[in-house]
């Protein structure tokens, strides 16, 4: 187990950006989409993520045609994650995603939330935190807030065009709070 954990840590370090490169990204004009990976195993992925329990599928779906020169897709490993469900194949699949930048797992999530335009989650509360900050949210699973304004629940059959339309719409924070207060 120790050797497997060391391999996981080496693989993770090989894809994580340094703090200086991360700061450069946040100064870039492009819209930023942030996916905070969930710890696994955990209910948020094992039960609530449905067909997206393999979180690389989320990044693959977004990377495919959705992300263009207008968007930067950022991902960050969960701080308590270990080698479980993060084998060599996980990292090989990640390396084929040319539009995904992997942030250091210790980089401040608050700084990231303040700097991005859209939050991606399987079912976590980070999506709701983003909504409260005026950030739209893509949910790839089941969540109590999935029907709120500013959220798109992505299914297997959700088209790239639907996701792009959602990403290009403005988020109305006043409308969100008005609707939320009536909920």
């Amino acid at each position: 187990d120790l050797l497997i954990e060391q391999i996981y840590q080496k693989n993770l370090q090989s894809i994580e950006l340094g703090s200086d490169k991360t700061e450069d990204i946040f100064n870039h004009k492009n819209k930023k989409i942030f996916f905070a990976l969930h710890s696994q195993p955990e209910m948020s992925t094992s039960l609530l993520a449905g067909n997206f329990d393999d979180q690389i599928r989320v990044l693959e779906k977004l990377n495919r045609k959705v992300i263009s020169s207008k968007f930067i897709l950022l991902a960050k490993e969960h701080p308590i994650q270990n080698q479980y469900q993060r084998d060599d194949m996980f990292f090989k699949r990640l390396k084929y995603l040319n539009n995904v930048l992997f942030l250091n797992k210790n980089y401040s999530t608050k700084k990231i939330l303040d700097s991005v335009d859209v939050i991606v989650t399987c079912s976590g509360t980070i999506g709701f935190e983003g909504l409260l900050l005026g950030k739209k949210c893509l949910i790839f699973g089941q969540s109590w807030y999935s029907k709120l304004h500013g959220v798109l629940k992505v299914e297997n059959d959700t088209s790239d065009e639907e996701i792009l339309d959602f990403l290009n719409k403005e988020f109305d924070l006043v409308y969100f709070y008005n609707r939320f207060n009536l909920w």
Side-chain angles (χ1 to χ4, degrees):
D1 274 352
L2 181 59
L3 178 60
I4 295 170
E5 180 64 25
Q6 289 172 338
I7 292 169
Y8 161 73
Q9 292 297 333
K10 183 179 176 188
N11 281 332
L12 183 62
Q13 289 171 359
S14 74
I15 63 167
E16 287 182 327
L17 297 177
S19 295
D20 55 333
K21 288 186 179 180
T22 301
E23 294 298 327
D24 289 344
I25 290 165
F26 291 136
N27 293 328
H28 203 276
K29 294 178 201 170
N30 292 32
K31 290 189 175 187
K32 292 153 202 72
I33 301 169
F34 174 56
F35 180 40
L37 276 74
H38 296 266
S39 161
Q40 289 185 290
E42 162 180 280
M43 185 175 75
S44 64
T45 51
S46 299
L47 297 174
L48 299 176
N51 291 326
F52 294 100
D53 61 332
D54 178 2
Q55 295 177 76
I56 294 293
R57 289 197 64 230
V58 172
L59 292 170
E60 288 170 340
K61 183 161 182 75
L62 292 174
N63 185 69
R64 201 173 55 222
K65 292 179 188 170
V66 172
I67 303 304
S68 66
S69 59
K70 291 171 46 176
F71 300 99
I72 297 173
L73 180 55
L74 306 170
K76 179 181 159 188
E77 179 65 281
H78 195 283
I80 66 166
Q81 182 66 41
N82 60 22
Q83 84 282 356
Y84 186 79
Q85 291 189 282
R86 301 292 196 267
D87 59 8
D88 282 338
M89 185 55 72
F90 176 90
F91 290 97
K92 284 179 185 174
R93 287 170 68 192
L94 267 179
K95 288 180 182 177
Y96 282 104
L97 305 176
N98 13 342
N99 294 319
V100 177
L101 300 174
F102 226 80
L103 304 177
N104 185 291
K105 71 178 185 177
N106 296 315
Y107 194 83
S108 167
T109 301
K110 180 174 179 354
K111 281 185 180 180
I112 296 169
L113 287 175
D114 288 343
S115 302
V116 299
D117 303 285
V118 180
I119 308 299
V120 176
T121 185
C122 289
S123 62
T125 57
I126 194 161
F128 185 68
E129 292 172 45
L131 289 168
L132 295 175
L133 294 171
K135 316 294 177 158
K136 293 183 285 189
C137 178
L138 292 168
I139 295 181
F140 286 79
Q142 304 296 323
S143 188
W144 63 269
Y145 60 88
S146 63
K147 296 198 185 301
L148 292 175
H149 171 72
V151 177
L152 176 64
K153 186 176 182 317
V154 179
E155 307 282 354
N156 280 337
D157 60 351
T158 303
S159 72
D160 294 341
E161 291 74 29
E162 288 175 271
I163 295 172
L164 273 173
D165 286 346
F166 174 79
L167 292 175
N168 287 314
K169 288 181 185 169
E170 291 298 316
F171 180 71
D172 186 340
L173 187 59
V174 174
Y175 182 76
F176 166 78
Y177 276 112
N178 287 338
R179 298 293 301 159
F180 185 68
N181 288 331
L182 295 173
W183 197 41

